[in-house]
Amino acid sequence: MSVDYPRYLRNDKLPLYWCPGCGNGIVLKALLGAIDDLRWEKDDMVMVSGIGCAARGSGYVDFHTLHTLHGRAVPAATAIKMCHPSMHVIVFSGDGDMLAIGGNHFIHACRRNINITMVVVNNWIYGMTGGQYSPTTPPGSKASTMPQGNIDSNFDVVELARGAGATFVARGSVAEPALLKNYLRKGLEHKGASVIDAISSCHTQWGGRNQLGDPVQLVEHIRNMTVSRNNADVLSREELTGKLVTGIFHQDLEKKEYAQAYAELSRPVEQNVVV
Amino acid sequence: MAAQQTPVVINRFCTSCGLCVDVCPKNVLELVEDLHVWTGSMCKVARPEDCVRKCRFCEAICPHFAISVADVGVELVFQDSHGQMVTKSR
Ligand SMILES: Cc1ncc(C[n+]2csc(CCOP(=O)(O)OP(=O)(O)O)c2C)c(N)n1
Ligand code: SF4
Ligand code: SF4
Ligand code: SF4
Ligand SMILES: [Mg+2]
């Protein structure tokens, strides 16, 4: 079945601002496809983003939306979830936004296991501001602030989120949009902090500095790097270096969700006041 | 009656990035010169009869909501930032 994308978009905001072939649109489309599968009502969702190219995504969807400050999407989303626990709260923002300036908020939302879906649109770079390296820039690759190659190690978003306590963690990429959509759907459905590391492609800022300045080339590069979780299990550590393992890595249905825990805490107090 | 389907490109949204052309397993799509747009070219459904229709790889990868596999006769209606209605059907 075809997805009726115009139904979910603010069509008067089109065409998209992103560069021709930017992966952010593929991630956004996969997210809308996942929402369409779930048949969620537009008015039951809030999409929150920080600042960056990816973060512009919230401006295009016809849900409740909030475009916050750089790095502050997650605390805003936390506040919305606490005030409106019945809302589906989605964070859609970049790797720099979520993991550099917003890294602290990110880990604590995971730790608390608050029921928000965090989509990290991970293009390995600060796209919007001119290609500065981010916490996910692959070691050795070039960025405007690492012209001789990145000397930093990069975060593994899956390990980071799982270690911090998120109860749903998956990774997909723009090279496999249909699978990415499935992971996003599972993450949306999950009741607890869910993190989807959505590997995106910025040919303009990352690709151009790394001989992958064409969008098709960069998506193919990502496709060649990608190994599904099942296939990765049989590969050795050496064989896996430089590979990008995709799939659902973690789901915990036992850990208490934060907004729920808070509601249970406050209920007896409210009763006392009434009595 | 099972509706027939065909890929449809919304020209105003197509950025000629080539991603759909790359993923199509049946070589249905093509970038063709179009000097009326800033990219200088445009995606064209060159061989619709070869389309397998069910794969929708083109639709899933298009970052600009510019290509959909739609039922023949159904109109895709977008209103872009210039206020113009964009409709396309076969
Ligand atoms: C407090 C603050 N510091 C810095 C900036 C400049 N700034 C805007 S976007 C951005 C990085 C965006 O990178 P990312 O989140 O990866 O998004 P992308 O553009 O790659 O999608 C920075 C540093 C800002 N807007 N606000
Ligand atoms: S600079 Fe990079 S992330 Fe930003 S719109 Fe262009 S390709 Fe996308
Ligand atoms: S639906 Fe499949 S076969 Fe048809 S144009 Fe799209 S990618 Fe090609
Ligand atoms: S993927 Fe979309 S924007 Fe890119 S060439 Fe195809 S129709 Fe045009
Ligand atoms: Mg980025």
Side-chain angles (χ1 to χ4, degrees):
Chain A
M1 256 304 284
S2 186
V3 180
D4 182 12
Y5 297 107
R7 180 183 138 84
Y8 298 103
L9 290 167
R10 290 178 182 150
N11 294 297
D12 58 339
K13 295 280 188 290
L14 300 179
L16 300 174
Y17 132 102
W18 293 317
C19 302
C22 170
N24 295 345
I26 309 176
V27 181
L28 181 64
K29 202 173 207 182
L31 180 69
L32 298 184
I35 288 166
D36 191 71
D37 280 355
L38 294 168
R39 296 265 145 220
W40 283 357
E41 289 300 324
K42 291 193 282 186
D43 287 349
D44 295 342
M45 288 179 283
V46 190
M47 189 150 132
V48 188
S49 56
I51 299 294
C53 292
R56 296 281 293 248
S58 64
Y60 293 120
V61 296
D62 194 24
F63 315 150
H64 299 286
T65 58
L66 189 62
H67 200 170
T68 67
L69 303 175
H70 192 31
R72 313 301 167 208
V74 171
T78 303
I80 294 165
K81 188 70 195 178
M82 294 305 282
C83 298
H84 301 278
S86 63
M87 280 277 173
H88 300 298
V89 182
I90 304 162
V91 174
F92 188 94
S93 224
D95 46 316
D97 192 79
M98 300 278 279
L99 304 171
I101 191 170
N104 197 44
H105 300 302
F106 176 79
I107 54 176
H108 292 291
C110 294
R111 175 175 62 84
R112 286 176 172 145
N113 192 33
I114 184 157
N115 186 10
I116 58 182
T117 307
M118 290 174 270
V119 184
V120 182
V121 184
N122 185 356
N123 57 9
W124 311 329
I125 202 84
Y126 289 3
M128 178 173 265
T129 46
Q132 296 84 356
Y133 76 109
S134 88
T136 58
T137 303
S141 74
K142 290 182 181 161
S144 63
T145 45
M146 280 287 182
Q148 315 217 45
N150 185 14
I151 58 168
D152 282 20
S153 298
N154 53 353
F155 274 145
D156 180 327
V157 180
V158 167
E159 294 301 330
L160 178 70
R162 178 162 44 188
T167 48
F168 179 93
V169 185
R171 178 187 290 125
S173 86
V174 293
E176 297 174 331
L179 294 177
L180 177 62
K181 184 190 92 169
N182 293 345
Y183 305 148
L184 287 164
R185 190 184 64 230
K186 289 274 181 199
L188 290 167
E189 278 179 307
H190 178 76
K191 294 205 168 38
S194 42
V195 173
I196 296 94
D197 181 17
I199 303 295
S200 184
S201 52
C202 174
H203 58 288
T204 306
Q205 297 295 358
W206 187 85
R209 292 186 169 81
N210 293 282
Q211 286 81 49
L212 293 163
D214 178 78
V216 175
Q217 261 186 322
L218 180 52
V219 170
E220 263 172 14
H221 171 76
I222 293 171
R223 188 175 296 126
N224 294 337
M225 284 176 77
T226 308
V227 185
S228 77
R229 214 193 140 186
N230 298 345
N231 295 342
D233 285 345
V234 299
L235 295 179
S236 70
R237 195 175 263 272
E238 289 83 65
E239 286 171 311
L240 280 175
T241 43
K243 292 285 179 199
L244 209 65
V245 187
T246 57
I248 295 171
F249 292 86
H250 179 60
Q251 186 161 23
D252 174 355
L253 301 170
E254 303 295 310
K255 187 171 168 179
K256 190 136 212 134
E257 194 275 320
Y258 192 69
Q260 176 70 32
Y262 184 75
E264 287 170 15
L265 179 76
S266 52
R267 201 174 301 125
V269 178
E270 279 167 12
Q271 280 165 2
N272 283 347
V273 172
V274 172
V275 166
Chain B
M1 189 187 75
Q4 218 199 323
Q5 294 190 315
T6 183
V8 174
V9 180
I10 299 172
N11 286 352
R12 282 192 68 84
F13 296 165
C14 176
T15 61
S16 192
C17 68
L19 286 169
C20 58
V21 179
D22 184 56
V23 295
C24 176
K26 303 297 274 184
N27 196 25
V28 172
L29 309 166
E30 228 172 62
L31 295 184
V32 296
E33 191 178 72
D34 184 342
L35 300 180
H36 299 291
V37 292
W38 65 276
T39 49
S41 65
M42 188 60 73
C43 174
K44 183 178 171 214
V45 185
R47 287 165 288 278
E49 64 283 2
D50 292 346
C51 174
V52 292
R53 290 176 179 89
K54 287 205 166 72
C55 81
R56 293 177 182 278
F57 291 166
C58 53
E59 182 178 311
I61 203 121
C62 173
H64 302 276
F65 298 92
I67 187 165
S68 292
V69 183
D71 290 348
V72 172
V74 169
E75 293 203 323
L76 304 174
V77 182
F78 287 86
Q79 194 167 21
D80 72 10
S81 48
H82 306 283
Q84 286 152 309
M85 286 292 221
V86 180
T87 58
K88 198 82 180 169
S89 62
R90 284 277 162 100

